Amino acid sequence: MLKLHIISFGCQMNAADSEEMTRPLLERGYQMTSDIAEADAVFVNTCTVRQHAEDRAVSQIGRLRRWKSRSPGRLLIVAGCAAERLKESLQKRFPFVDLVSGAKSIDEYPAALEQVLKKKFNFEKETGDYFPSAPPAGLKSQPFSGAPQSHVTIMRGCNYSCSYCIVPAVRGREQYRSPAGILQEIREKVSRGTREIMLLGQTVNSYRYPREAASFGRDALLTWRRTGEPKTARDFVDFPDLLRLIEPTEGLERIRFMSPHPHYVSDSMITAMAECRKVCEHIHLPVQSGSDRLLRLMQRNYSRLEFLSRVAKLRSAIPDIAITTDIIVGFPQETEEDFQDTLRLVEEADFDAAYCFKFSPRDGTAASPMQGQTAEAVKKERLKRLLELVESRALSKKARFIGREVEVLMEDVRFGKTRNFFPVKFERAQTPGRLARGVIGAFENAALVVKG
Ligand code: 5AD
Ligand code: SF4
């Protein structure tokens, strides 16, 4: 039996891509393994968003030299954003890699993989259960079987050009999947045990799909129109529409999405979030900075006030919504005053959590050659101050759940997440993959705990 091991760096988009890109291997009879030593194939999905992420991915590939040399038949595939950026240099530096596939060439990947596999294996001989044509129904999505949560990619790429960000260069322009395809994937996953889906896209809420081309049944559209907004003829199915289309899916309990761009958090999106029961009370809304001057330099396409007003609308439309964010410190030309604006914004927006990063200059982005780069020591010091503020607030925000009953989707016997995305531990065993309810009795080691 051939065994496959996956190493995935970076965002949830990458995790979803790993799932999709290793599917052809699983269909051929590879079995997943968490033990790299026994693997016949390793799939590495790389990330390049910050230098640190890229360095980690590259040194991981370097370490695989020994694994590969133990048996020449072993298969090593490197994919993702760093693979896109470094393509040729990766191939030169690590000639033992069998296939380097950049994030942009995901369409050509199946054919390229086919080529490599043909050269390497005689599957009938190797596995004894190679499916020569289409695999029997039911086997196709085998890897998703039983996973209570699943990712569904609804768009790829990004049409923005935030001045610090390498993503548009490595992932290309936005491409959207059809609502029919999205709904079909969700139904398939739900039929195999998925209860919660995470819709993924670089700017997930800029999703749109021409109505003319959207080949879903008219009924689905008519159903939500009757309860929806003014009946003007619109040319696109947009993100709020998509939420309303997914909402009636039988057996599905929760809908999440990642990551929305503040510019597209429209009133109609907020209304759809509020009206769709299954859409969870959580939004991860990257702000990046609290200073208008920096937001302009970053080319984020919103002001501090616009961001805060959307946060206020979300909070008033969706009671108890958790709001999390991403923040970059030490962007070029960031003054102490700019940084103070960010600290103040963290207080005003009242975030439940924030991922904080030191600015990392990426070659080929507009911010990398900018005048006035911030010294490393200053970046470090600001990151520390920001983290202190963020963490102290996050603690008090979580503590508000003590004494309250919550709904938890169990990922394991004793662990799951609330609709607001807070981790919860249960002292008593629950059924994995099911919703459980419990009263939060304590807050220990950064986790909410249901006692007894
Ligand atoms: N430097 C630091 N942080 C970055 N991010 C993206 N690019 C950079 C960079 N060059 C952060 C942003 C983004 C998150 C995924 O990574 O905050 O939202
Ligand atoms: Fe990068 Fe900006 Fe696109 Fe997000 S919206 S992926 S930060 S360019």
Side-chain angles (χ1 to χ4, degrees), residues 191-211:
S191 76
R192 290 187 176 79
T194 293
R195 291 293 162 260
E196 174 181 305
I197 51 149
M198 172 79 87
L199 304 173
L200 293 179
Q202 229 72 51
T203 55
V204 73
N205 56 339
S206 71
Y207 174 86
R208 53 184 206 158
Y209 200 82
R211 255 185 221 294

PDB file of all heavy atoms in Angstrom, residues 191-211:
ATOM      1  N   SER A 191     -23.137  15.136   2.740  1.00  0.00           N
ATOM      2  CA  SER A 191     -23.608  13.738   2.707  1.00  0.00           C
ATOM      3  C   SER A 191     -22.563  12.793   3.298  1.00  0.00           C
ATOM      4  O   SER A 191     -22.860  11.664   3.642  1.00  0.00           O
ATOM      5  CB  SER A 191     -23.966  13.320   1.284  1.00  0.00           C
ATOM      6  OG  SER A 191     -22.782  13.073   0.551  1.00  0.00           O
ATOM      7  N   ARG A 192     -21.337  13.256   3.421  1.00  0.00           N
ATOM      8  CA  ARG A 192     -20.287  12.428   4.044  1.00  0.00           C
ATOM      9  C   ARG A 192     -19.972  12.847   5.464  1.00  0.00           C
ATOM     10  O   ARG A 192     -18.927  12.493   5.998  1.00  0.00           O
ATOM     11  CB  ARG A 192     -19.013  12.509   3.216  1.00  0.00           C
ATOM     12  CG  ARG A 192     -19.184  11.805   1.948  1.00  0.00           C
ATOM     13  CD  ARG A 192     -17.932  11.702   1.145  1.00  0.00           C
ATOM     14  NE  ARG A 192     -18.283  10.915  -0.003  1.00  0.00           N
ATOM     15  CZ  ARG A 192     -18.924  11.389  -1.056  1.00  0.00           C
ATOM     16  NH1 ARG A 192     -19.231  12.660  -1.114  1.00  0.00           N
ATOM     17  NH2 ARG A 192     -19.253  10.607  -2.047  1.00  0.00           N
ATOM     18  N   GLY A 193     -20.810  13.675   6.052  1.00  0.00           N
ATOM     19  CA  GLY A 193     -20.641  13.948   7.472  1.00  0.00           C
ATOM     20  C   GLY A 193     -20.212  15.363   7.828  1.00  0.00           C
ATOM     21  O   GLY A 193     -20.114  15.703   8.996  1.00  0.00           O
ATOM     22  N   THR A 194     -19.940  16.213   6.817  1.00  0.00           N
ATOM     23  CA  THR A 194     -19.560  17.589   7.127  1.00  0.00           C
ATOM     24  C   THR A 194     -20.760  18.349   7.685  1.00  0.00           C
ATOM     25  O   THR A 194     -21.856  18.263   7.139  1.00  0.00           O
ATOM     26  CB  THR A 194     -19.026  18.293   5.871  1.00  0.00           C
ATOM     27  OG1 THR A 194     -17.788  17.684   5.502  1.00  0.00           O
ATOM     28  CG2 THR A 194     -18.792  19.772   6.105  1.00  0.00           C
ATOM     29  N   ARG A 195     -20.546  19.068   8.777  1.00  0.00           N
ATOM     30  CA  ARG A 195     -21.619  19.852   9.386  1.00  0.00           C
ATOM     31  C   ARG A 195     -21.350  21.353   9.275  1.00  0.00           C
ATOM     32  O   ARG A 195     -22.225  22.174   9.460  1.00  0.00           O
ATOM     33  CB  ARG A 195     -21.759  19.485  10.877  1.00  0.00           C
ATOM     34  CG  ARG A 195     -22.288  18.084  11.120  1.00  0.00           C
ATOM     35  CD  ARG A 195     -23.744  17.959  10.666  1.00  0.00           C
ATOM     36  NE  ARG A 195     -24.154  16.584  10.499  1.00  0.00           N
ATOM     37  CZ  ARG A 195     -24.225  15.948   9.335  1.00  0.00           C
ATOM     38  NH1 ARG A 195     -23.919  16.580   8.213  1.00  0.00           N
ATOM     39  NH2 ARG A 195     -24.618  14.698   9.249  1.00  0.00           N
ATOM     40  N   GLU A 196     -20.077  21.689   9.032  1.00  0.00           N
ATOM     41  CA  GLU A 196     -19.686  23.107   8.995  1.00  0.00           C
ATOM     42  C   GLU A 196     -18.787  23.324   7.785  1.00  0.00           C
ATOM     43  O   GLU A 196     -17.837  22.571   7.571  1.00  0.00           O
ATOM     44  CB  GLU A 196     -18.919  23.430  10.280  1.00  0.00           C
ATOM     45  CG  GLU A 196     -18.334  24.816  10.311  1.00  0.00           C
ATOM     46  CD  GLU A 196     -17.555  25.084  11.606  1.00  0.00           C
ATOM     47  OE1 GLU A 196     -18.140  24.922  12.694  1.00  0.00           O
ATOM     48  OE2 GLU A 196     -16.373  25.428  11.501  1.00  0.00           O
ATOM     49  N   ILE A 197     -19.090  24.350   7.005  1.00  0.00           N
ATOM     50  CA  ILE A 197     -18.195  24.637   5.877  1.00  0.00           C
ATOM     51  C   ILE A 197     -17.577  26.017   6.052  1.00  0.00           C
ATOM     52  O   ILE A 197     -18.179  26.935   6.612  1.00  0.00           O
ATOM     53  CB  ILE A 197     -18.905  24.582   4.510  1.00  0.00           C
ATOM     54  CG1 ILE A 197     -20.160  25.435   4.549  1.00  0.00           C
ATOM     55  CG2 ILE A 197     -19.215  23.163   4.096  1.00  0.00           C
ATOM     56  CD1 ILE A 197     -20.471  26.016   3.232  1.00  0.00           C
ATOM     57  N   MET A 198     -16.337  26.122   5.579  1.00  0.00           N
ATOM     58  CA  MET A 198     -15.625  27.397   5.562  1.00  0.00           C
ATOM     59  C   MET A 198     -15.437  27.766   4.094  1.00  0.00           C
ATOM     60  O   MET A 198     -14.709  27.089   3.369  1.00  0.00           O
ATOM     61  CB  MET A 198     -14.276  27.197   6.256  1.00  0.00           C
ATOM     62  CG  MET A 198     -13.337  28.372   6.157  1.00  0.00           C
ATOM     63  SD  MET A 198     -13.730  29.671   7.325  1.00  0.00           S
ATOM     64  CE  MET A 198     -12.825  29.101   8.749  1.00  0.00           C
ATOM     65  N   LEU A 199     -16.137  28.818   3.656  1.00  0.00           N
ATOM     66  CA  LEU A 199     -15.981  29.278   2.276  1.00  0.00           C
ATOM     67  C   LEU A 199     -14.682  30.058   2.195  1.00  0.00           C
ATOM     68  O   LEU A 199     -14.429  30.941   3.023  1.00  0.00           O
ATOM     69  CB  LEU A 199     -17.151  30.180   1.878  1.00  0.00           C
ATOM     70  CG  LEU A 199     -18.542  29.566   2.050  1.00  0.00           C
ATOM     71  CD1 LEU A 199     -19.620  30.611   1.776  1.00  0.00           C
ATOM     72  CD2 LEU A 199     -18.707  28.365   1.114  1.00  0.00           C
ATOM     73  N   LEU A 200     -13.867  29.738   1.209  1.00  0.00           N
ATOM     74  CA  LEU A 200     -12.550  30.349   1.150  1.00  0.00           C
ATOM     75  C   LEU A 200     -12.334  31.185  -0.100  1.00  0.00           C
ATOM     76  O   LEU A 200     -12.774  30.824  -1.192  1.00  0.00           O
ATOM     77  CB  LEU A 200     -11.462  29.265   1.170  1.00  0.00           C
ATOM     78  CG  LEU A 200     -11.298  28.460   2.444  1.00  0.00           C
ATOM     79  CD1 LEU A 200     -10.203  27.430   2.256  1.00  0.00           C
ATOM     80  CD2 LEU A 200     -10.963  29.377   3.617  1.00  0.00           C
ATOM     81  N   GLY A 201     -11.620  32.282   0.089  1.00  0.00           N
ATOM     82  CA  GLY A 201     -11.181  33.121  -1.013  1.00  0.00           C
ATOM     83  C   GLY A 201     -10.270  34.177  -0.442  1.00  0.00           C
ATOM     84  O   GLY A 201     -10.372  34.511   0.737  1.00  0.00           O
ATOM     85  N   GLN A 202      -9.374  34.701  -1.271  1.00  0.00           N
ATOM     86  CA  GLN A 202      -8.434  35.704  -0.775  1.00  0.00           C
ATOM     87  C   GLN A 202      -9.177  36.949  -0.310  1.00  0.00           C
ATOM     88  O   GLN A 202      -8.846  37.541   0.693  1.00  0.00           O
ATOM     89  CB  GLN A 202      -7.449  36.055  -1.884  1.00  0.00           C
ATOM     90  CG  GLN A 202      -6.020  36.031  -1.440  1.00  0.00           C
ATOM     91  CD  GLN A 202      -5.514  34.626  -1.199  1.00  0.00           C
ATOM     92  OE1 GLN A 202      -5.669  33.771  -2.053  1.00  0.00           O
ATOM     93  NE2 GLN A 202      -4.948  34.382  -0.042  1.00  0.00           N
ATOM     94  N   THR A 203     -10.180  37.348  -1.095  1.00  0.00           N
ATOM     95  CA  THR A 203     -11.126  38.382  -0.641  1.00  0.00           C
ATOM     96  C   THR A 203     -12.498  37.758  -0.894  1.00  0.00           C
ATOM     97  O   THR A 203     -13.155  38.057  -1.879  1.00  0.00           O
ATOM     98  CB  THR A 203     -10.986  39.706  -1.423  1.00  0.00           C
ATOM     99  OG1 THR A 203     -11.117  39.420  -2.822  1.00  0.00           O
ATOM    100  CG2 THR A 203      -9.641  40.354  -1.187  1.00  0.00           C
ATOM    101  N   VAL A 204     -12.888  36.895   0.003  1.00  0.00           N
ATOM    102  CA  VAL A 204     -13.981  35.957  -0.251  1.00  0.00           C
ATOM    103  C   VAL A 204     -15.287  36.665  -0.603  1.00  0.00           C
ATOM    104  O   VAL A 204     -16.087  36.166  -1.391  1.00  0.00           O
ATOM    105  CB  VAL A 204     -14.146  35.001   0.962  1.00  0.00           C
ATOM    106  CG1 VAL A 204     -14.758  35.706   2.155  1.00  0.00           C
ATOM    107  CG2 VAL A 204     -14.922  33.758   0.599  1.00  0.00           C
ATOM    108  N   ASN A 205     -15.479  37.884  -0.029  1.00  0.00           N
ATOM    109  CA  ASN A 205     -16.753  38.575  -0.252  1.00  0.00           C
ATOM    110  C   ASN A 205     -16.761  39.446  -1.502  1.00  0.00           C
ATOM    111  O   ASN A 205     -17.733  40.144  -1.754  1.00  0.00           O
ATOM    112  CB  ASN A 205     -17.150  39.384   0.993  1.00  0.00           C
ATOM    113  CG  ASN A 205     -16.079  40.366   1.416  1.00  0.00           C
ATOM    114  OD1 ASN A 205     -14.908  40.217   1.065  1.00  0.00           O
ATOM    115  ND2 ASN A 205     -16.469  41.367   2.178  1.00  0.00           N
ATOM    116  N   SER A 206     -15.707  39.393  -2.303  1.00  0.00           N
ATOM    117  CA  SER A 206     -15.798  40.050  -3.616  1.00  0.00           C
ATOM    118  C   SER A 206     -16.315  39.039  -4.645  1.00  0.00           C
ATOM    119  O   SER A 206     -16.363  39.329  -5.830  1.00  0.00           O
ATOM    120  CB  SER A 206     -14.441  40.619  -4.055  1.00  0.00           C
ATOM    121  OG  SER A 206     -13.555  39.571  -4.388  1.00  0.00           O
ATOM    122  N   TYR A 207     -16.704  37.872  -4.158  1.00  0.00           N
ATOM    123  CA  TYR A 207     -17.228  36.819  -5.035  1.00  0.00           C
ATOM    124  C   TYR A 207     -18.342  37.369  -5.915  1.00  0.00           C
ATOM    125  O   TYR A 207     -19.214  38.103  -5.446  1.00  0.00           O
ATOM    126  CB  TYR A 207     -17.792  35.662  -4.198  1.00  0.00           C
ATOM    127  CG  TYR A 207     -18.476  34.606  -5.047  1.00  0.00           C
ATOM    128  CD1 TYR A 207     -17.743  33.573  -5.612  1.00  0.00           C
ATOM    129  CD2 TYR A 207     -19.843  34.683  -5.309  1.00  0.00           C
ATOM    130  CE1 TYR A 207     -18.361  32.620  -6.413  1.00  0.00           C
ATOM    131  CE2 TYR A 207     -20.467  33.724  -6.110  1.00  0.00           C
ATOM    132  CZ  TYR A 207     -19.709  32.699  -6.660  1.00  0.00           C
ATOM    133  OH  TYR A 207     -20.323  31.766  -7.465  1.00  0.00           O
ATOM    134  N   ARG A 208     -18.314  37.015  -7.170  1.00  0.00           N
ATOM    135  CA  ARG A 208     -19.467  37.294  -8.032  1.00  0.00           C
ATOM    136  C   ARG A 208     -19.438  36.335  -9.200  1.00  0.00           C
ATOM    137  O   ARG A 208     -18.381  35.828  -9.587  1.00  0.00           O
ATOM    138  CB  ARG A 208     -19.464  38.740  -8.527  1.00  0.00           C
ATOM    139  CG  ARG A 208     -18.167  39.124  -9.183  1.00  0.00           C
ATOM    140  CD  ARG A 208     -18.184  40.572  -9.555  1.00  0.00           C
ATOM    141  NE  ARG A 208     -17.266  40.779 -10.678  1.00  0.00           N
ATOM    142  CZ  ARG A 208     -17.328  41.782 -11.502  1.00  0.00           C
ATOM    143  NH1 ARG A 208     -18.275  42.687 -11.385  1.00  0.00           N
ATOM    144  NH2 ARG A 208     -16.462  41.906 -12.474  1.00  0.00           N
ATOM    145  N   TYR A 209     -20.621  36.084  -9.717  1.00  0.00           N
ATOM    146  CA  TYR A 209     -20.726  35.134 -10.811  1.00  0.00           C
ATOM    147  C   TYR A 209     -21.867  35.586 -11.709  1.00  0.00           C
ATOM    148  O   TYR A 209     -22.959  35.892 -11.219  1.00  0.00           O
ATOM    149  CB  TYR A 209     -21.005  33.731 -10.266  1.00  0.00           C
ATOM    150  CG  TYR A 209     -20.654  32.663 -11.249  1.00  0.00           C
ATOM    151  CD1 TYR A 209     -19.336  32.227 -11.376  1.00  0.00           C
ATOM    152  CD2 TYR A 209     -21.623  32.120 -12.091  1.00  0.00           C
ATOM    153  CE1 TYR A 209     -18.999  31.268 -12.301  1.00  0.00           C
ATOM    154  CE2 TYR A 209     -21.282  31.156 -13.013  1.00  0.00           C
ATOM    155  CZ  TYR A 209     -19.972  30.738 -13.115  1.00  0.00           C
ATOM    156  OH  TYR A 209     -19.637  29.786 -14.039  1.00  0.00           O
ATOM    157  N   PRO A 210     -21.605  35.678 -13.017  1.00  0.00           N
ATOM    158  CA  PRO A 210     -22.656  36.182 -13.911  1.00  0.00           C
ATOM    159  C   PRO A 210     -23.922  35.333 -13.793  1.00  0.00           C
ATOM    160  O   PRO A 210     -23.854  34.119 -13.898  1.00  0.00           O
ATOM    161  CB  PRO A 210     -22.045  36.031 -15.308  1.00  0.00           C
ATOM    162  CG  PRO A 210     -20.595  35.785 -15.100  1.00  0.00           C
ATOM    163  CD  PRO A 210     -20.398  35.259 -13.725  1.00  0.00           C
ATOM    164  N   ARG A 211     -25.035  36.010 -13.581  1.00  0.00           N
ATOM    165  CA  ARG A 211     -26.292  35.284 -13.431  1.00  0.00           C
ATOM    166  C   ARG A 211     -26.603  34.405 -14.633  1.00  0.00           C
ATOM    167  O   ARG A 211     -27.074  33.289 -14.498  1.00  0.00           O
ATOM    168  CB  ARG A 211     -27.441  36.281 -13.255  1.00  0.00           C
ATOM    169  CG  ARG A 211     -27.906  36.335 -11.834  1.00  0.00           C
ATOM    170  CD  ARG A 211     -29.113  37.208 -11.657  1.00  0.00           C
ATOM    171  NE  ARG A 211     -28.924  37.954 -10.424  1.00  0.00           N
ATOM    172  CZ  ARG A 211     -28.897  37.395  -9.221  1.00  0.00           C
ATOM    173  NH1 ARG A 211     -29.051  36.102  -9.085  1.00  0.00           N
ATOM    174  NH2 ARG A 211     -28.720  38.129  -8.154  1.00  0.00           N
TER     175      ARG A 211
END
